[in-house]
Amino acid sequence: MPMINAALVESFDEPPHFRSIPAPEAAPGQEVVDVLAVGVHPATRGIAAGKHYTSPKELPAPAGADAVVRRADGSLGYVMVLGAGSLAERIVIDPATVIPLPDGANPALLAATMNPALSSWCALRTRADFRAGQSVLVHGATGNAGSMAVKVAKHLGAERVIAAGRNRTRLDGLTSEGADDIVQLTPDQDATAAALAGAAAEVDVVLDYVWGPPTELAMRAVLEARTQHTRPLDWVQVGGMGGDSITLSGHALRSNAFRILGSGFGQVDMQVIQRELTELAAAVAAGGMAVRPHPFPLDQVEAAWAHKDAPGERTVILL
């Protein structure tokens, strides 16, 4: 039986391990592809730790949630295989789900960038009523996905982007990456609320990677400071670094043209997502946006799992 190398989750309490497994075989309607690069994203880590809704029900199972692959005809593609695993030399995919990548695209760069960028790209393109020339607040802008959201918003035509986050050094760096204004989120709630009110009172869209109590504070600050309460505001929940739930006064909803939306794969038709991700991949490959890959070979998967990404960096396993 032919064998291939892979990274297997054998326990949710340990990093994946380098192992040999039987080579995959395609069933009718499937395709076997060569894996070139896999990003080690927060979701990837969460799946491997048993903390994600797509975590495997039975172990061992391959790690990995997405991949840049090479198809039999030599073309490159990006695939998302949440729950199926992608960290193996070859995997089986549904050809209909492949996002085509431009010829000559850098697999490591695409593997590092697509996942952080897709949340804000899809939120602005498919969920919020966003139009070029509007303003965007990125709440939680100092993580990889949040800092990428600043670049994505500018790329899609935002006239003004406000970046809010805790890491002051990273916030200062975002001013050279598209942020027109920054707000530091500090333990001083009064100062934080005043800063948010001053910078973001009239925004059109909020991309929220924080949620929880910090979002309760931010919502109150922005809504109370608005001078045009009939001006539409789309608040899009994208991540939950600050908690999984909020308490919101019904008065806030009744007294403002205010919508709360979620952005994820449960709200948008997959054909729409594939179209948007194809455009995103082309933009990333063209150099418009990038996260710096920090590469590891597959046989060093345990070291890759222990690596702490620097701002603007993403661990990538190359096969």
Side-chain angles (χ1 to χ4, degrees):
M1 176 181 296
M3 304 292 285
I4 62 169
N5 295 319
L8 292 187
V9 178
E10 298 176 335
S11 168
F12 289 138
D13 298 323
E14 300 175 358
H17 300 292
F18 182 68
R19 298 286 190 255
S20 291
I21 63 172
E25 296 183 0
Q30 294 182 326
E31 178 183 339
V32 175
V33 294
D34 294 324
V35 176
L36 303 180
V38 174
V40 182
H41 315 296
T44 310
R45 295 178 184 274
I47 292 168
K51 298 178 180 178
H52 195 271
Y53 66 91
T54 65
S55 293
K57 301 297 187 288
E58 296 182 3
L59 299 178
D66 64 356
V68 175
V69 302
R70 179 181 288 116
R71 307 180 73 176
D73 63 2
S75 64
L76 299 181
Y78 174 75
V79 296
M80 293 180 291
V81 291
L82 292 173
S86 62
L87 263 172
E89 290 176 316
R90 294 193 294 279
I91 60 173
V92 172
I93 62 162
D94 176 354
T97 65
V98 178
I99 307 301
L101 299 179
D103 292 339
N106 182 325
L109 182 68
L110 267 294
T113 307
M114 285 294 289
N115 179 275
L118 66 85
S119 64
S120 51
W121 184 283
C122 289
L124 290 173
R125 291 287 292 255
T126 71
R127 296 296 291 154
D129 186 23
F130 171 77
R131 298 179 301 280
Q134 292 186 322
S135 58
V136 176
L137 165 65
V138 181
H139 189 225
T142 52
N144 263 338
S147 59
M148 178 56 67
V150 173
K151 299 178 184 179
V152 168
K154 275 295 186 181
H155 179 85
L156 293 177
E159 181 177 346
R160 184 165 177 264
V161 178
I162 304 100
R166 292 181 299 177
N167 186 324
R168 181 66 196 217
T169 301
R170 183 60 182 140
L171 283 175
D172 289 338
L174 288 175
T175 59
S176 64
E177 298 179 21
D180 299 287
D181 203 351
I182 59 174
V183 173
Q184 186 173 14
L185 307 178
T186 72
D188 186 334
Q189 294 192 0
D190 290 340
T192 297
L196 285 166
E202 308 302 338
V203 294
D204 301 290
V205 177
V206 178
L207 298 179
D208 194 326
Y209 290 87
V210 183
W211 212 239
T215 288
E216 295 178 11
L217 175 69
M219 280 184 178
R220 287 196 300 270
V222 170
L223 292 174
E224 290 175 3
R226 287 176 87 75
T227 59
Q228 301 177 52
H229 294 280
T230 57
R231 180 176 179 171
L233 170 60
D234 282 347
W235 199 293
V236 189
Q237 198 270 345
V238 188
M241 295 183 298
D244 189 51
S245 60
I246 66 169
T247 298
L248 176 66
S249 165
H251 175 74
L253 291 171
R254 296 191 304 271
S255 60
N256 295 275
F258 176 46
R259 295 194 305 171
I260 301 176
L261 307 159
S263 184
F265 293 114
Q267 295 101 1
V268 183
D269 183 86
M270 280 306 298
Q271 288 185 333
V272 175
I273 290 177
Q274 285 181 267
R275 183 192 69 217
E276 293 298 336
L277 294 189
T278 299
E279 292 190 26
L280 170 60
V284 172
M289 299 163 285
V291 173
R292 183 176 66 256
H294 187 106
F296 286 84
L298 180 60
D299 61 3
Q300 293 183 23
V301 62
E302 294 181 37
W305 238 251
H307 178 72
K308 303 297 184 184
D309 289 333
E313 173 187 270
R314 180 58 50 91
T315 297
V316 173
I317 297 177
L318 301 180
L319 293 86

